[in-house]
Amino acid sequence: MTVDIRLDAETGSILAPWDLFGAFDLDGDRSRPFILRRDGEIDFGASAARRWRTNLRDLRVGVGARFQVYWNESDAGDYEVVKIARLGSRERRG
């Protein structure tokens, strides 16, 4: 799961109150883009049968922080932040 967010460097809180963009790569073969809504809903678009939810927005984001993704009312998965990339980090590799 990758999400494009802007963090407060001191508090680790998500600064953007608006919708965020991201993608899941569930099987290593194809990426599934989504919008993370303000209320924690993961929206895969109008053609998706149901929408997932997450508590990521309530998190103090940092490497090692844990959050949940709720696929339905009875099934969820635990996730852990493993990497935080700085803005423009790809361009600086050269």
Side-chain angles (χ1 to χ4, degrees), residues 1-3 19-27 30-37 39-54 69-72 79:
M1 176 179 175
T2 301
V3 184
D19 295 340
L20 304 170
F21 296 96
F24 272 95
D25 186 2
L26 299 173
D27 57 13
R30 62 186 165 99
S31 183
R32 196 171 169 197
F34 64 85
I35 296 173
L36 177 57
R37 301 287 181 198
D39 64 357
E41 181 179 290
I42 298 172
D43 183 350
F44 291 106
S47 64
R50 57 175 78 148
R51 294 181 176 166
W52 299 353
R53 302 189 62 72
T54 183
V69 173
Y70 305 93
W71 299 298
N72 56 46
Y79 286 77

Side-chain angles (χ1 to χ4, degrees), residues 49-86:
R50 57 175 78 148
R51 294 181 176 166
W52 299 353
R53 302 189 62 72
T54 183
N55 62 347
L56 178 63
R57 284 188 174 271
D58 302 329
L59 189 66
R60 181 180 174 113
V61 179
V63 173
R66 293 180 172 266
F67 63 99
Q68 288 73 41
V69 173
Y70 305 93
W71 299 298
N72 56 46
E73 294 174 8
S74 61
D75 198 11
D78 293 324
Y79 286 77
E80 181 176 329
V81 176
V82 296
K83 179 181 177 182
I84 297 176
R86 295 197 178 274

Side-chain angles (χ1 to χ4, degrees), residues 4-6 83-94:
D4 185 11
I5 58 177
R6 183 174 170 215
K83 179 181 177 182
I84 297 176
R86 295 197 178 274
L87 183 64
S89 61
R90 282 188 159 198
E91 290 82 22
R92 291 186 220 147
R93 287 187 188 171

